[in-house]
C-alpha cells in the first residue's frame, strides 16, 4: 500500500472543519494529521506536523487563508506545502489572491464529498486543480486589473502550438477539452502542458492560468 496523504484541515467553522475531517479520515489513502480554526494556527501546525497538504479556508480570524497560504507555499518558501483552498462564490477575489499566493487549486465549499476527495488526490499527486465551472469567472473577472501593460506573446519562448495550448488552459479547458479542440490526443496535450510549465518555469497549471492572464494572452 502507498503511504496515506497526510492532510491538515483549516476552517474557522467547526461544523465544516469536522465534516471535512470526517470525510477525509474515512478514506484508506488519506490521514487527517490535524485541525485548526485560523491561518496562524495552520502555519504553525503545518511547520510542526509537516503534512502533505493543507485544506484551507480563505476568510478566517488571526491570519486569513491568503496570508497563511503565502507563508506555506509562496515564492521563496524553502519547503512549500501543497494548499487546496475551499471557498464560496462570493469570495472569488480572495481565491484569486490565494492562487497567486501559491495555492495549488480551489474548490467550492458546497462541492460534493467525492469532488473534495478528488481534489485532495489531484493536488497531492502534484497536479493543479481549478474547479472548471468557475475558472473563467474567477480569473477572467480580474484579468483587466492584473494584466500589465507591457509584454506580448512574441516575447514568450513557446512554439505557436504551445502558446495555443496555454491560452486554452487559461480559459479553463481540461486536457480532454483541449485535445478535442485541437484534434490531438490527451497524451500529446500532457506533453505540451509539461513543456509549457518547464519553459516558463511555472510550478503547475494554476500558475499557468495566472501567468497567461497577466501577460494578456486571454481576454
Amino acid at each position: 500500500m502507498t503511504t496515506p496523504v497526510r492532510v491538515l484541515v483549516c476552517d474557522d467553522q467547526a461544523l465544516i472543519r469536522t465534516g471535512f475531517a470526517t470525510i477525509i479520515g474515512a478514506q484508506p489513502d488519506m490521514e487527517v494529521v490535524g485541525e485548526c480554526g485560523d491561518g496562524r494556527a495552520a502555519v504553525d501546525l503545518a511547520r510542526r506536523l509537516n503534512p502533505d497538504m493543507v485544506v484551507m479556508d480563505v476568510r478566517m480570524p488571526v491570519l486569513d487563508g491568503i496570508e497563511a497560504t503565502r507563508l506555506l507555499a509562496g515564492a521563496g518558501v524553502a519547503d512549500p506545502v501543497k494548499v487546496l483552498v475551499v471557498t464560496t462564490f462570493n469570495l472569488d477575489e480572495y481565491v484569486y489572491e490565494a492562487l497567486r499566493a501559491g495555492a495549488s487549486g480551489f474548490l467550492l465549499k458546497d462541492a460534493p464529498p467525492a469532488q473534495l476527495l478528488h481534489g485532495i488526490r489531484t493536488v497531492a499527486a502534484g497536479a493543479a486543480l481549478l474547479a472548471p465551472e468557475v475558472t473563467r469567472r474567477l480569473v477572467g473577472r480580474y484579468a483587466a486589473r492584473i494584466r500589465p501593460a507591457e509584454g506580448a506573446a512574441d516575447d514568450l519562448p513557446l512554439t505557436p502550438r504551445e502558446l495555443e495550448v496555454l491560452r486554452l488552459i487559461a480559459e479553463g479547458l481540461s486536457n480532454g477539452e483541449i485535445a478535442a479542440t485541437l484534434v490531438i490526443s490527451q497524451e500529446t496535450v500532457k506533453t505540451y502542458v509539461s513543456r509549457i510549465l518547464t519553459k516558463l518555469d511555472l510550478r503547475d497549471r494554476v500558475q499557468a492560468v495566472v501567468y497567461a492572464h497577466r501577460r494578456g494572452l486571454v481576454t
Side-chain angles (χ1 to χ4, degrees):
M1 293 182 63
T2 58
T3 303
V5 177
R6 303 174 72 253
V7 182
L8 172 63
V9 178
C10 184
D11 195 296
D12 67 331
Q13 297 183 54
L15 189 60
I16 291 178
R17 186 170 68 244
T18 300
F20 283 172
T22 300
I23 293 168
I24 295 166
Q27 306 307 305
D29 59 340
M30 299 180 192
E31 176 188 1
V32 177
V33 297
E35 300 176 38
C36 56
D38 67 76
R40 173 51 61 190
V43 173
D44 293 341
L45 277 177
R47 288 173 176 171
R48 178 158 56 87
L49 300 175
N50 193 31
D52 297 311
M53 66 177 303
V54 180
V55 174
M56 182 84 75
D57 189 15
V58 174
R59 183 175 288 173
M60 295 183 292
V62 186
L63 187 71
D64 65 35
I66 296 172
E67 282 305 312
T69 297
R70 186 172 290 112
L71 292 173
L72 291 174
V77 175
D79 189 17
V81 179
K82 295 182 178 70
V83 177
L84 175 63
V85 169
V86 289
T87 189
T88 55
F89 264 119
N90 63 353
L91 294 180
D92 283 353
E93 183 172 8
Y94 294 104
V95 179
Y96 171 74
E97 294 299 338
L99 296 179
R100 288 192 66 189
S104 291
F106 77 92
L107 287 173
L108 303 179
K109 280 190 177 180
D110 59 359
Q115 194 170 342
L116 170 67
L117 297 173
H118 170 72
I120 292 173
R121 293 186 178 105
T122 298
V123 171
L129 182 76
L130 287 172
E133 68 272 23
V134 294
T135 299
R136 294 180 184 85
R137 172 190 172 116
L138 170 67
V139 184
R141 178 174 174 181
Y142 299 98
R145 177 172 63 83
I146 65 176
R147 184 180 304 140
E150 70 278 1
D154 294 341
D155 301 330
L156 302 182
L158 302 178
T159 66
R161 179 63 99 180
E162 289 167 349
L163 187 60
E164 192 173 13
V165 171
L166 176 58
R167 287 192 171 110
L168 294 175
I169 291 172
E171 290 174 3
L173 273 66
S174 66
N175 283 356
E177 291 169 333
I178 293 173
T181 299
L182 301 180
V183 196
I184 56 179
S185 70
Q186 289 197 47
E187 287 302 316
T188 300
V189 174
K190 290 180 182 178
T191 299
Y192 280 128
V193 172
S194 178
R195 288 177 183 170
I196 290 166
L197 298 181
T198 299
K199 286 185 176 182
L200 299 181
D201 193 26
L202 301 174
R203 186 187 61 203
D204 55 34
R205 201 182 187 96
V206 171
Q207 289 193 347
V209 172
V210 174
Y211 182 94
H213 279 274
R214 296 192 69 183
R215 292 300 296 262
L217 301 180
V218 288
T219 56

